[in-house]
Amino acid sequence: SVKLHKNTPDKVYEELGRFFFSPGVLTPSLFNDDSVFKNLKDRNVADCDLADYSIAGCQEPLIMGKDNGNTTNSWLNMPKILELCLNGGKSMITGKVIEETEPIDNLYLLKNIREIFYKTLEHYVDLMCTAANGASLAISELPVPFLSNFMGGIESGYDMRDTEHQGTPYNGSGCLIHGLSVMADSFAAIDKLVAERPEDADNLIAALKANFEGYDELHAFLKAAPKFGNNIKSVDNEAAEIVSRVSDMVAAHKNYLGNPFRPDWASPTTHLTYGYWVGATPDGREKGVAFAPGANPMHGRDTHGAIASLSSVAKLDY
């Protein structure tokens, strides 16, 4: 990983170029201080602490020695919740009814899928945050006094895991949010079907349950819908809307100390696991196929080149 800013000298970029093109280098991480500083200031990090941010795990910025971020405190699987919306609250993988819903006309369901999805998502985010806070309460039974001394405990007098008194200057609970491109592509495919083939509303639901077996023509139609990662305004704006609404939804929830949950649109291999447990989706993705990592387009769908793909991602609110 490397931290860059507007005053980074050319020599650093030259050395980075040598590094990036060395054998065995797969995922270099670049962090833009000019953007990260603004992001941290918006979250009430003091100016004197900005230069001391470091990266926890993959990409989460934390203030060294002052931040108990609980960065992977909760994980959110959006396509699974979409699956429940489209299948009456039943898992297409296990057949188990997670939460039964009232029967609804499939065309009405597809026309109103966004409203239904976000309402259902709010319910599950509530459950998720309650569970995450319960995990924090459980782990607080195992205090860490030695580590706490290096994390502000000497000044505060509290253990950093204390759930009644904030033992570090900064505290929050992270939420890893999965399946952005699947969601954006699915909404785009549903819109295309409703506009051009509303008579196939029932067939779409049946095709998802059958993992598209016997529905080859419909499967091809869905896969031909606009896809995130090609600098296509409609689907890129959809992805940006999802990021905005879901981030606000997650950040509105409070952890055990009353601090916001921190939305995190990245996935440390968990997009593989979460994809495994989700059935077929309206974007044409088949059952069990991994999601794209983080905010990336789904593999193989960004067919217009790297610049188009970067342009799509750049439309998301950093």
Side-chain angles (χ1 to χ4, degrees):
S1 300
V2 61
K3 295 162 72 173
L4 304 171
H5 50 81
K6 60 186 178 183
N7 296 318
T8 298
D10 291 344
K11 181 64 175 175
V12 173
Y13 288 104
E14 293 171 6
E15 295 301 318
L16 285 173
R18 293 176 56 192
F19 171 73
F20 289 166
F21 292 98
S22 297
V25 175
L26 289 176
T27 53
S29 297
L30 307 178
F31 297 92
N32 183 339
D33 280 3
D34 301 303
S35 295
V36 175
F37 280 20
K38 179 183 183 304
N39 184 276
L40 293 175
K41 290 181 72 170
D42 289 345
R43 299 189 181 199
N44 300 315
V45 172
D47 286 350
C48 61
D49 290 331
L50 294 176
D52 287 333
Y53 89 84
S54 188
I55 300 302
C58 305
Q59 72 296 310
E60 306 96 317
L62 302 178
I63 306 305
M64 292 188 286
K66 294 185 177 182
D67 198 337
N68 183 19
N70 298 299
T71 54
T72 57
N73 185 229
S74 55
W75 299 355
L76 179 59
N77 188 338
M78 295 189 297
K80 187 66 180 182
I81 293 169
L82 177 64
E83 174 188 309
L84 298 178
C85 293
L86 295 171
N87 198 35
K90 180 188 293 186
S91 170
M92 292 182 183
I93 298 294
T94 66
K96 178 181 178 181
V97 175
I98 307 300
E99 193 157 351
E100 193 166 2
T101 60
E102 292 293 325
I104 187 172
D105 175 75
N106 286 328
L107 183 57
Y108 177 88
L109 171 65
L110 296 180
K111 285 183 176 179
N112 296 277
I113 190 59
R114 290 170 178 81
E115 177 185 351
I116 293 169
F117 169 75
Y118 286 116
K119 182 178 179 180
T120 305
L121 183 67
E122 180 68 65
H123 168 66
Y124 282 105
V125 169
D126 286 344
L127 296 178
M128 176 191 72
C129 292
T130 298
N133 286 335
S136 296
L137 288 168
I139 201 171
S140 72
E141 297 297 318
L142 299 171
V144 284
F146 182 75
L147 177 59
S148 296
N149 284 333
F150 296 95
M151 296 290 289
I154 292 177
E155 292 80 10
S156 71
Y158 297 114
D159 191 89
M160 63 182 292
R161 288 180 173 174
D162 194 313
T163 55
E164 296 181 4
H165 306 93
Q166 187 159 316
T168 56
Y170 304 109
N171 172 284
S173 292
C175 177
L176 297 179
I177 306 171
H178 298 72
L180 171 62
S181 53
V182 170
M183 291 302 308
D185 292 351
S186 290
F187 283 156
I190 289 172
D191 287 349
K192 181 178 173 67
L193 184 99
V194 168
E196 300 178 17
R197 298 169 53 164
E199 69 278 5
D200 273 332
D202 291 342
N203 285 333
L204 172 60
I205 304 302
L208 297 177
K209 294 178 180 179
N211 196 31
F212 299 115
E213 292 184 16
Y215 294 89
D216 293 347
E217 189 275 333
L218 178 58
H219 193 195
F221 174 85
L222 296 171
K223 291 196 291 185
K227 296 292 186 281
F228 177 69
N230 295 291
N231 200 21
I232 299 172
K233 183 177 181 180
S234 60
V235 69
D236 291 353
N237 288 347
E238 188 73 61
E241 175 75 6
I242 293 168
V243 166
S244 177
R245 292 189 64 169
V246 179
S247 292
D248 287 348
M249 187 184 298
V250 168
H253 287 73
K254 305 299 183 184
N255 73 355
Y256 53 94
L257 287 172
N259 297 311
F261 275 76
R262 300 173 178 181
D264 184 349
W265 294 84
S267 54
T269 73
T270 44
H271 58 285
L272 305 174
T273 305
Y274 272 20
Y276 179 82
W277 286 105
V278 174
T281 42
D283 57 333
R285 174 193 151 276
E286 296 178 4
K287 177 178 71 175
V289 172
F291 304 151
N296 286 17
M298 282 289 282
H299 180 68
R301 291 184 183 174
D302 48 341
T303 57
H304 289 59
I307 299 301
S309 181
L310 289 168
S311 298
S312 292
V313 176
K315 294 171 188 175
L316 307 177
D317 185 343
Y318 181 81

